Amino acid sequence: AGNAAGLVIRDAGAADLAAVVALYADDILGATRESPDEPLDPGYRRGFDAVAADPRNRLLVAELDGVVVGTLQLTWIPAVSRHGAERALVESVHVASEVRGHGVGRRLAAYAIAEAAARGCALVQLTSDLRRSDAHRFWKSLGFEPSHVGMKLLLEDRR
């Protein structure tokens, strides 16, 4: 997979779930929190089913030569601010390590931005882990600006 010329971006199907989870685990952060081994944890299927059933969510995959090499989740968020303008949230962007730097992420991001624009969204937003300096450079190269400080409270740590 030398470049992304033959890349197909489409909505993920149930048959793509294992490949998507494997992409989540294919980096230094995901390797510590994801479990791509078969059989998959049932939580992944519950999450996939919830996303697939929700008209405000899309799980996308990028496929190259029949192999899933990228993914992202796109969520539409209604809002009262900005005169009631909807916004798009880009989440869980992952590209297979063997094709990083070949345009897969750029094509996925362009697809998500075009979908948001076609829907009339006022903005596209995302968060990126502070440790992902390569990702920060990537998003800045697409015109994204670091405009907010993101914060999380992990509830699983409170159980």
Side-chain angles (χ1 to χ4, degrees), residues 32-119:
T32 64
R33 62 182 175 224
E34 304 299 343
S35 304
D37 297 326
E38 295 285 346
L40 285 178
D41 182 290
Y44 290 120
R45 175 67 62 191
R46 283 193 303 274
F48 174 83
D49 290 346
V51 168
D54 185 343
R56 291 199 167 274
N57 277 282
R58 291 178 69 192
L59 181 63
L60 302 174
V61 291
E63 189 177 76
L64 188 58
D65 300 326
V67 177
V68 173
V69 295
T71 187
L72 69 74
Q73 184 172 335
L74 187 55
T75 301
W76 315 114
I77 303 172
V80 176
S81 67
R82 295 180 182 261
H83 304 270
E86 191 171 56
R87 60 192 68 206
L89 174 66
V90 173
E91 182 66 35
S92 297
V93 181
H94 292 270
V95 172
S97 54
E98 65 270 12
V99 297
R100 289 182 194 141
H102 294 283
V104 174
R106 193 164 294 278
R107 291 270 305 280
L108 268 169
Y111 185 94
I113 292 165
E115 291 291 294
R119 220 178 134 101

Side-chain angles (χ1 to χ4, degrees), residues 1-54:
N3 66 40
L7 195 73
V8 174
I9 298 173
R10 60 175 174 76
D11 288 285
D16 298 312
L17 185 56
V20 168
V21 174
L23 287 170
Y24 294 164
D26 184 26
D27 75 20
I28 192 136
L29 300 179
T32 64
R33 62 182 175 224
E34 304 299 343
S35 304
D37 297 326
E38 295 285 346
L40 285 178
D41 182 290
Y44 290 120
R45 175 67 62 191
R46 283 193 303 274
F48 174 83
D49 290 346
V51 168
D54 185 343

